Amino acid sequence: MRKKLLLLLAFASFAALYSCSDDKDTEIEENGYENPADAASWFYKGTMEVAPVDESGSVYYWENQKMKLVFDDDRKTCNLVMYQANFAEDMPVTLDIVVNGMAVSQTTTGYTITGDNIIPLYYNGRTDSFEPYPKYIMTAISINAAADAISLSLTCGDYPVTFLAPAYEATAGEKDNFGEDFDE
């Protein structure tokens, strides 16, 4: 009888603990994403389109471009990270680029993010640091972002850039890459 009582007590304790689980875990399992109000970073993967700036008229497409939005704690500003970005067919290298300090406004479906005349930072592997890249000032930045998709337009130097992409589940390494702070 005592064993049955202990077994019943153990079962009741397990049921009580299980019923008090965090709803956030269930939400992540159901929709694959954290609640946008809770997510510190959102990841996207798609095609970046760069309009021509010369007489060739050829649009350049960079497939599988990955981007990340990193929000500050109060959701007033955010940073944009472009992983291995390439803006032209003859561009000799890809760059990890960060655009800091854009303004954030909440919408019913996510956020509108804007910025203008921001000097981006690029990752310099030789010095293992981010350095300013004033040759390609980011202007007319307009981003509509939700946990499941992004629409971005900006001008990088003279290059008009657009990016439309769904969200994707980043790997642990991608989530940790660059951390949260991108100071010069």
Side-chain angles (χ1 to χ4, degrees):
M1 179 73 172
R2 189 173 195 176
K3 285 183 182 179
K4 288 182 182 179
L5 184 59
L6 286 174
L7 186 59
L8 183 61
L9 184 59
F11 179 73
S13 297
F14 175 76
L17 286 173
Y18 183 76
S19 67
C20 293
S21 69
D22 189 359
D23 291 339
K24 181 178 174 186
D25 294 336
T26 304
E27 182 178 340
I28 292 171
E29 290 171 10
E30 288 174 1
N31 64 23
Y33 304 102
E34 292 184 48
N35 179 337
D38 297 332
S41 302
W42 291 348
F43 297 85
Y44 306 94
K45 182 178 179 181
T47 300
M48 186 167 65
E49 179 180 312
V50 182
V53 293
D54 58 18
E55 57 280 344
S56 72
S58 298
V59 175
Y60 177 68
Y61 299 96
W62 183 248
E63 302 288 333
N64 298 313
Q65 174 65 57
K66 295 178 183 178
M67 294 192 187
K68 171 173 123 174
L69 290 174
V70 182
F71 296 94
D72 67 354
D73 291 338
D74 63 0
R75 297 263 190 228
K76 299 294 182 200
T77 63
C78 81
N79 300 332
L80 170 68
V81 181
M82 297 183 218
Y83 294 100
Q84 300 296 298
N86 189 311
F87 295 97
E89 193 165 350
D90 59 352
M91 187 172 163
V93 297
T94 59
L95 297 172
D96 292 328
I97 297 171
V98 177
V99 182
N100 276 329
M102 295 176 294
V104 176
S105 300
Q106 189 166 9
T107 67
T108 57
T109 59
Y111 296 96
T112 297
I113 301 162
T114 58
D116 200 27
N117 293 316
I118 298 175
I119 296 174
L121 304 175
Y122 78 98
Y123 179 73
N124 184 335
R126 284 179 258 151
T127 62
D128 193 29
S129 64
F130 284 93
E131 298 179 10
Y133 206 17
K135 181 178 178 181
Y136 293 102
I137 292 176
M138 303 286 185
T139 59
I141 301 166
S142 177
I143 302 171
N144 290 309
D148 61 348
I150 188 173
S151 167
L152 171 148
S153 67
L154 59 82
T155 301
C156 177
D158 294 330
Y159 297 91
V161 175
T162 58
F163 180 71
L164 302 171
Y168 83 103
E169 184 62 32
T171 66
E174 290 170 324
K175 288 179 181 179
D176 293 338
N177 199 11
F178 301 140
E180 300 291 321
D181 297 317
F182 306 101
D183 297 326
E184 298 175 39

